[in-house]
Amino acid sequence: MSLEKLPLVAILGPTAVGKTELALRLAEEFQGEIISADSRLLYRGMDIGTAKPTPEERRRVPHHLIDVASPDETWSLARVQAAVRQAAREICSRGRLPFLVGGAGQYLRAIIQGWQAPAAPPDPRLRAALERWAAGITPVGLHQRLSRLDPQAAQNLDPRNLRRTVRALEVILSTGRLFSQQRRQGESPYQLLLLGLTRPRQELYQRIDARVEAMLAAGLVDEVRALLEAGAPPNSPALSAIGYREIIDYLRGVYNLEEAIARIKRDTRLLVRRQANWFKAQDPQIVWFQVDERTQGRMAAVIADWRAERGLTPEALTCLADIQAE
């Protein structure tokens, strides 16, 4: 691994495991700044349903890639990858350590491993046809068709994420090759330290249920209503996020509120199961920690050793940023 690459501490793990608070404490301890790897935190106005860091938390530690887009915008993976690299370079230029936090497994790995999207250019006519098909058979129905053609690609996509399902089918039908076989993994642009957090599955489910109830109490329904009234398209990629799509269906009269809440909890549990496919306990690149009262100390010791081994002093971080800027 080239020591001229920018260092990056990535804190990963399933939804509701406790990444945010531990990342804040560690970033404070190591004079770091946090880069969000959660695609939903990009969007302004989506605060409650994304469990976005609070203003007080963002005052404790500087955060990047939060509130940088409106909900009707679409950020490509390439744009996110470039923005993460730029943020990491700027953080290092200040002699501080970048922490990458959150994100779904596929999305996070794409960022840190330098994935390159399939080369097939967009085909607007084919895409429109696939979207019309989805309107007739539902996004889940279209995802089922994808699973027959490319089970591996389908397994890694949320069945309700129409945009990604359409893109996978578009690539398959345009090229005649499986979407899962066209993902190109480049060389990671970072010196990586991957730290994984885990809890017992039942404990995670309890935390998810409590989080959903807290979001409803904090005004999630009003937040979604305000986004729609401000002109955010209900079928936009941003509003396909769990929590938002179910409340949109409630506001449209598809479900009552109790049914929508139950679906949010169910869909979040399903997300946790899919995340497990990306964060394997046996992955030798990831240092795993069971979350308890001693977790922060154990993680801090690993970070300190890693930083010392690579000589990542504030001066060295600044120098690395200068090299990357050339």
Side-chain angles (χ1 to χ4, degrees), residues 160 245-246 249-251 253-257 259-260 263:
R160 294 283 299 268
R245 63 195 184 204
E246 293 86 357
D249 284 343
Y250 157 66
L251 293 173
V254 178
Y255 314 122
N256 62 38
L257 184 57
E259 291 171 323
R263 285 176 176 269

Side-chain angles (χ1 to χ4, degrees), residues 11-47:
I11 298 178
L12 52 87
T15 296
V17 76
K19 297 184 292 292
T20 297
E21 183 56 34
L22 276 167
L24 282 165
R25 295 175 186 171
L26 290 166
E28 287 176 321
E29 183 172 349
F30 288 93
Q31 294 76 52
E33 300 183 22
I34 292 173
I35 306 170
S36 168
D38 189 320
S39 62
R40 307 308 180 184
L41 298 193
L42 294 168
Y43 299 107
R44 293 182 289 271
M46 295 177 60
D47 301 332

Side-chain angles (χ1 to χ4, degrees), residues 12 25 36 100 169 187 196 228 320:
L12 52 87
R25 295 175 186 171
S36 168
L100 186 72
L169 284 167
E187 182 182 357
L228 296 175
L320 286 170

Side-chain angles (χ1 to χ4, degrees), residues 47-217:
D47 301 332
I48 298 171
T50 61
K52 188 175 289 180
T54 65
E56 190 277 329
E57 288 170 334
R58 291 157 73 177
R59 284 191 291 270
R60 283 172 57 187
V61 173
H63 284 65
H64 303 264
L65 294 193
I66 293 179
D67 290 342
V68 294
S70 63
D72 59 349
E73 288 184 68
T74 299
W75 274 48
S76 68
L77 175 59
R79 184 175 182 184
V80 171
Q81 288 170 319
V84 170
R85 287 195 296 271
Q86 178 65 19
R89 191 192 67 78
E90 291 175 358
I91 293 166
C92 288
S93 73
R94 293 187 281 273
R96 298 172 68 85
L97 188 62
F99 287 77
L100 186 72
V101 181
Q106 184 179 32
Y107 189 75
L108 180 60
R109 288 208 180 271
I111 292 170
I112 63 178
Q113 294 178 343
W115 289 7
Q116 300 175 39
D123 184 332
R125 293 179 62 186
L126 176 56
R127 184 172 296 182
L130 290 167
E131 290 172 348
R132 288 195 298 271
W133 191 17
I137 64 174
T138 75
V140 173
L142 192 68
H143 184 271
Q144 290 171 348
R145 271 55 172 191
L146 172 63
S147 68
R148 296 172 190 169
L149 291 174
D150 190 342
Q152 183 178 345
Q155 181 182 9
N156 295 326
L157 294 178
D158 183 342
R160 294 283 299 268
N161 193 322
L162 178 60
R163 179 174 64 91
R164 292 187 177 178
T165 299
V166 166
R167 176 56 180 164
L169 284 167
E170 179 188 13
V171 170
I172 292 169
L173 297 174
S174 296
T175 65
R177 296 172 54 215
L178 296 182
F179 182 80
S180 58
Q181 294 177 349
Q182 297 188 57
R183 185 188 74 204
R184 294 173 293 160
Q185 182 174 324
E187 182 182 357
S188 175
Y190 306 107
Q191 299 181 56
L192 286 171
L193 176 60
L194 303 181
L195 305 177
L197 300 177
T198 185
R199 291 179 187 266
R201 184 66 60 86
Q202 199 57 42
E203 183 179 336
L204 268 179
Y205 288 167
Q206 292 169 356
R207 288 172 61 87
I208 286 168
D209 289 351
R211 174 186 278 192
V212 172
E213 295 293 342
M215 287 176 175
L216 269 294

Side-chain angles (χ1 to χ4, degrees), residues 233-293:
N235 61 346
S236 67
L239 294 185
S240 70
I242 295 173
Y244 291 89
R245 63 195 184 204
E246 293 86 357
I247 296 301
I248 288 173
D249 284 343
Y250 157 66
L251 293 173
R252 287 173 159 178
V254 178
Y255 314 122
N256 62 38
L257 184 57
E258 189 173 297
E259 291 171 323
I261 294 170
R263 285 176 176 269
I264 295 171
K265 293 177 180 178
R266 181 204 65 185
D267 290 349
T268 308
R269 291 184 180 201
L270 291 173
L271 173 63
V272 165
R273 294 175 200 162
R274 287 197 302 273
Q275 288 171 329
N277 293 327
W278 290 98
F279 303 132
K280 300 289 188 182
Q282 62 270 30
D283 188 332
Q285 289 188 302
I286 303 174
V287 184
W288 285 101
F289 300 87
Q290 181 89 13
V291 179
D292 57 32
E293 67 278 2

